[in-house]
């Protein structure tokens, strides 16, 4: 476990079982894979740093999804609708990984 | 292989899948104004897979009934003739996939079934979102959109393998590879099949133009539903249509639907909820 600043968190890192902010518990029950949404939520709670373990496997899997989707959608350039679909697809795949972690 | 060769095979009805034997009988019955609900129920009950799906649908959460429906006549009253019509057709399409499953070991037809089922579900979700009244018809349209591929898979296995080989070798879409190898693509083959089977014009249009919705003219909006669903199913890698590429959503087609970009997120959320419910039809 290592304490990292929320602003430096990477997708795919794993949080400790429970995350507290002062006395308030903001993540409960189990270790969780960090997604961009979750990192944003932690920041929104005003949390500066979180204890995480660097699981190379999950960080790698998250990175691979980004690369795979980006490569597939690169042919569409800046088409806003296709970029939106790419974003939704990335989230969908990452949720599946988070669920399988379970 | 030329279009004429495919057309000849379609015309030789004895070689066609059993799909339409039951469906044709059903359509003939319901087009007779003197037919009674009892006679329809009798026909439905004669096919175990159709009657099972009719009962499953009537008991699904969609109808939200307090008590279970145990009989086919009661289920028909709940679902209505039009709904039953699409269940009969959906079951027939599923059976066609199943019959073709072992015809060619080089491609997993189960993946194409999963893709078709995903496009069916997404089409129904999009149809509801754009207030398209006949959304169950869009489910059937999604199931049928790639039926041309199933036909080639079953009746022209060598050519199908060459198409798959070309897709992988050149990293092109199924459609492009089909045009190179077969000189005709699955959308056109599907159109010929559905026309031969005398299916409704809307289903013919969604199959024929799902890659080029604006060519469907007055049915462009309807076809745009299946067109968009197809792109989403490819993007989310739900099953496989035979290649790894994501087809672009036609800008005009998207305008036809009148949805905002945020709707993409909502559609996928709705799909996730639906996917938690067991398949309406079955798994290959």
């Amino acid at each position: 476990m290592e304490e990292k600043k929320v602003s430096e968190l990477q997708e795919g890192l794993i949080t400790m079982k429970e995350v507290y902010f002062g006395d308030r518990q903001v993540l409960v029950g189990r270790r969780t894979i960090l997604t961009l949404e979750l990192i944003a939520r932690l920041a929104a709670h005003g949390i500066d740093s979180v204890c995480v373990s660097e699981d190379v496997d999950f960080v790698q899997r998250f990175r691979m999804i980004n690369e795979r989707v980006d490569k597939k959608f690169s042919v569409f350039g800046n088409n806003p609708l296709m970029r939106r679909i790419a974003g939704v697809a990335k989230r969908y795949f990452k949720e599946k990984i988070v669920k399988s972690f379970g | 292989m030329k279009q004429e060769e495919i057309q000849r095979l379609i015309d030789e009805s004895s070689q066609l899948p059993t799909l339409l034997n039951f469906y044709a009988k059903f359509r003939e019955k319901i087009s007779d104004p003197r037919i009674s609900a009892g006679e329809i129920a009798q026909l439905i009950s004669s096919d175990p897979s159709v009657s099972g799906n009719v009962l499953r649908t009537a008991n699904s959460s969609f109808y939200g009934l307090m008590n279970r429906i145990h009989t086919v006549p009661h289920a028909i009253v709940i679902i209505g003739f039009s709904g039953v019509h699409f269940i009969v057709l959906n079951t027939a399409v599923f059976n066609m996939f199943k019959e073709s499953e072992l015809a060619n070991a080089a491609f997993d037809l189960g993946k194409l079934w999963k893709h078709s089922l995903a496009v069916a579900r997404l089409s129904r979700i999009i149809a509801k979102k754009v207030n398209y009244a006949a959304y169950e018809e869009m489910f059937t349209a999604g199931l049928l959109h790639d039926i041309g591929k199933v036909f080639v898979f079953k009746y022209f296995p060598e050519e199908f393998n060459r198409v798959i080989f070309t897709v992988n070798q050149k990293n092109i879409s199924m459609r492009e590879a089909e045009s190179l190898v077969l000189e005709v693509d699955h959308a056109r083959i599907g159109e010929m099949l559905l026309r031969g089977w005398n299916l409704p014009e809307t289903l013919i249009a969604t199959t024929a133009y799902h890659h080029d919705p604006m060519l469907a003219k007055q049915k462009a909006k309807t076809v745009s539903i299946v067109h968009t669903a197809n792109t989403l199913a490819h993007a989310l890698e739900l099953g496989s249509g035979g290649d790894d590429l994501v087809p672009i959503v036609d800008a005009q087609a998207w305008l036809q639907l009148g949805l905002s970009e945020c709707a993409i997120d909502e559609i996928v959320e709705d799909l996730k909820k639906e996917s938690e419910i067991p398949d309406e039809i079955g798994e290959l």
Side-chain angles (χ1 to χ4, degrees), chain A residues 49-66:
Chain A
S49 53
V50 175
C51 278
V52 288
S53 67
E54 187 146 358
D55 189 314
V56 177
D57 181 40
F58 283 113
V59 173
Q60 188 66 14
R61 280 163 74 181
F62 269 64
R63 197 172 294 151
M64 275 167 61
I65 281 173
N66 283 339

Side-chain angles (χ1 to χ4, degrees), chain A residues 68 72 76 84 91 95, chain B residues 237-238 244 246 265 272:
Chain A
R68 197 175 76 210
K72 242 187 207 186
F76 306 120
R84 183 86 183 205
R91 258 206 319 279
E95 274 174 27
Chain B
E237 298 175 5
L238 300 165
D244 280 340
V246 179
D265 305 57
K272 283 191 278 188

